[in-house]
Amino acid sequence: MNENTTSTQQPTTTAARTVLVTGGTGKTGRRVAERLTALGHTARIGSRTAPVPFDWDDDTTWDAALDGVTAAYLAYYPDLSFPGAVEAVEAFAHRAAKAGVERLVLLSGRGEEAAQAAEAAVAGAGTGWTVVRCSWFSQNFSESFFLEPVLSGELALPTGAAVEPFVDADDIADVAVAALTEDGHDGEVYELSGPRLLSFADAAAELSAATGREIRFTPVTVEEYRAVLATVGLPGEFADLFTMILDGRNAHLTDGVQRALGREARDFADYARAAAASGVWDV
């Protein structure tokens, strides 16, 4: 893995590809598919409800989804740290290699041992590969489990004073698409972060400034947050991610966006202003 090296090779865009985008309706997958289509590639959406269904938990759907595919974006739901995730990703990567897929781009998470096991599994599958290893998404506040708390005006989370370099999903998609469609990214681990560290209290302040209304941060225990997740139908394991990832192991900035794209990462404040302008937080 060439995690700490900078390639001097000039990326070269390849011919039009058919790319399987697993999680193609999610935060990053949707953006990846949109960019691929805009570049003239064919994005095959990998989801249970797609015309050619794909389900991580049903390997009988994999062969049809891989038919004619030359590259694939692997976004495992709900998270690579969940039981069975590494095994599913490894089995799928080998199935993809057998089907003739040339490139795999894995969406991974920073500081997760299971995620790193999935990275190794993809790297050993026999295809070209790139890892896109990410911090917490800025878009979690506007498109995911933090949306309702932002709308209610209170982020009650078990994070304390932990800091995180939130990364914009648009940056993630840009890096993934570059790895899927350009030469020069094979064997790279791009660890992506935003350009500065923020606590969740800092994030709440940025959201307050962008929306023009107060959004408070209130620290709670993991047990209290697990109970909240149960009321909205989300797995309790999400609460464990806070203790595993927000213990300081990711409290540093990385240069993955710059290495992959040659530009700086987008700032959280820019994300917050754009999201506010879209009306997603209007109440």
Side-chain angles (χ1 to χ4, degrees), residues 22-32 143:
T22 68
T25 59
K27 285 188 292 296
T28 64
R30 172 173 55 83
R31 289 171 165 84
V32 168
E143 301 176 22

Side-chain angles (χ1 to χ4, degrees), residues 76-102:
Y76 184 88
Y77 182 84
D79 190 85
L80 289 173
S81 66
F82 278 51
V86 174
E87 293 80 4
V89 169
E90 181 173 26
F92 180 79
H94 283 274
R95 187 83 66 89
K98 185 177 179 180
V101 174
E102 300 169 359

Side-chain angles (χ1 to χ4, degrees), residues 64-219:
L66 287 166
D67 185 34
V69 166
T70 54
Y73 176 66
L74 309 185
Y76 184 88
Y77 182 84
D79 190 85
L80 289 173
S81 66
F82 278 51
V86 174
E87 293 80 4
V89 169
E90 181 173 26
F92 180 79
H94 283 274
R95 187 83 66 89
K98 185 177 179 180
V101 174
E102 300 169 359
R103 296 185 181 186
L104 296 175
V105 175
L106 175 69
L107 177 68
S108 185
R110 296 179 71 200
E112 300 180 38
E113 292 181 5
Q116 293 182 22
E119 294 172 10
V122 170
T127 70
W129 60 272
T130 307
V131 168
V132 182
R133 186 189 290 164
C134 302
S135 304
W136 282 64
F137 302 170
S138 299
Q139 278 74 9
N140 286 339
F141 293 94
S142 54
E143 301 176 22
S144 192
F145 39 85
F146 298 152
L147 173 57
E148 288 302 321
V150 173
L151 291 172
S152 72
E154 181 181 29
L155 287 167
L157 300 168
T159 62
V163 293
E164 176 71 12
F166 297 99
V167 63
D168 196 300
D170 285 316
D171 282 345
I172 299 169
D174 286 346
V175 172
V177 169
L180 288 163
T181 64
E182 298 174 356
D183 295 331
H185 302 283
D186 189 33
E188 293 285 355
V189 177
Y190 292 123
E191 190 162 334
L192 309 187
S193 78
R196 59 188 172 120
L197 294 167
L198 295 95
S199 68
F200 279 75
D202 294 331
E206 293 284 4
L207 297 172
S208 298
T211 60
R213 58 186 179 83
E214 183 184 9
I215 298 169
R216 302 179 305 279
F217 168 71
T218 302

